[in-house]
Amino acid sequence: MKKMNKLESVLWNIAFPGFSQLLMGHYIKGLLLVVLEFVMNVNSHFNQAIMYSFLGEIDKAEAVTNYQWLMFYPCVYMFSLWDGYRSAMPKDEKYSFLPFVFGAYFVTVGLMLSPKISIFQVHPGPVFLPMLFLIPGLITGFLIKFLLSVKFQNE
């Protein structure tokens, strides 16, 4: 079983959920995450939405997106990141799940709101708005983690 550091583990899972699990020898979990990502990606037409979004064709991105399938994506993606991180973190680290969980919550809300929200007359669509929502999600998670760590630091 390969030992990874936290950054390496997270970066492999950003590339493709389940990769760090596979590299660390957690084959069943890694394979399950890879298959889940593939099924959600194909059924939601996420790659097409990403392509259209980066080409500036947000209307096409929204038209091809299957939101019912894409709603699963943030939670599985962030779980994969957290699980890889958790496998590499020191045993005494506490509350590390909070930034990942709140990131998943906020990205999911951003995805739900994406058909309706424009920022300064720019409509970010189903790819860029959820990405933007990740920032306040991570900040919220890190803030709660910090507050809990301070409150319960002697336990």
Side-chain angles (χ1 to χ4, degrees):
M1 193 179 311
K2 181 184 184 325
K3 182 70 177 153
M4 281 190 191
N5 66 45
K6 296 181 290 190
L7 179 61
E8 180 183 10
S9 179
V10 168
L11 289 176
W12 274 115
N13 277 334
I14 287 172
F16 203 95
F19 274 10
S20 74
Q21 287 82 357
L22 291 172
L23 289 169
M24 287 188 279
H26 304 154
Y27 299 116
I28 294 172
K29 190 185 329 180
L31 188 59
L32 178 62
L33 289 167
V34 167
V35 168
L36 280 171
E37 199 283 339
F38 182 79
V39 168
M40 290 181 302
N41 192 304
V42 168
N43 285 301
S44 67
H45 309 286
F46 195 35
N47 283 349
Q48 282 182 295
I50 292 170
M51 183 185 71
Y52 286 135
S53 294
F54 275 89
L55 293 173
E57 300 176 20
I58 302 301
D59 292 338
K60 286 183 180 179
E62 288 182 323
V64 299
T65 300
N66 182 326
Y67 287 88
Q68 295 301 313
W69 274 99
L70 195 54
M71 293 289 292
F72 291 107
Y73 202 91
C75 290
V76 171
Y77 193 81
M78 294 305 287
F79 173 80
S80 176
L81 293 173
W82 171 75
D83 183 69
Y85 181 91
R86 180 182 61 110
S87 297
M89 75 182 196
K91 297 208 183 301
D92 62 339
E93 187 173 330
K94 293 184 178 181
Y95 312 117
S96 66
F97 62 92
L98 289 167
F100 297 97
V101 168
F102 279 91
Y105 295 161
F106 277 66
V107 170
T108 302
V109 170
L111 179 61
M112 288 188 291
L113 296 175
S114 67
K116 301 286 184 188
I117 290 185
S118 293
I119 302 169
F120 303 114
Q121 282 78 38
V122 175
H123 185 62
V127 173
F128 295 126
L129 189 68
M131 290 168 111
L132 291 173
F133 270 56
L134 178 61
I135 297 166
L138 292 175
I139 290 169
T140 302
F142 278 116
L143 180 62
I144 293 170
K145 177 184 174 186
F146 172 76
L147 293 173
L148 288 174
S149 295
V150 168
K151 181 172 173 71
F152 297 112
Q153 83 185 59
N154 294 330
E155 293 180 17

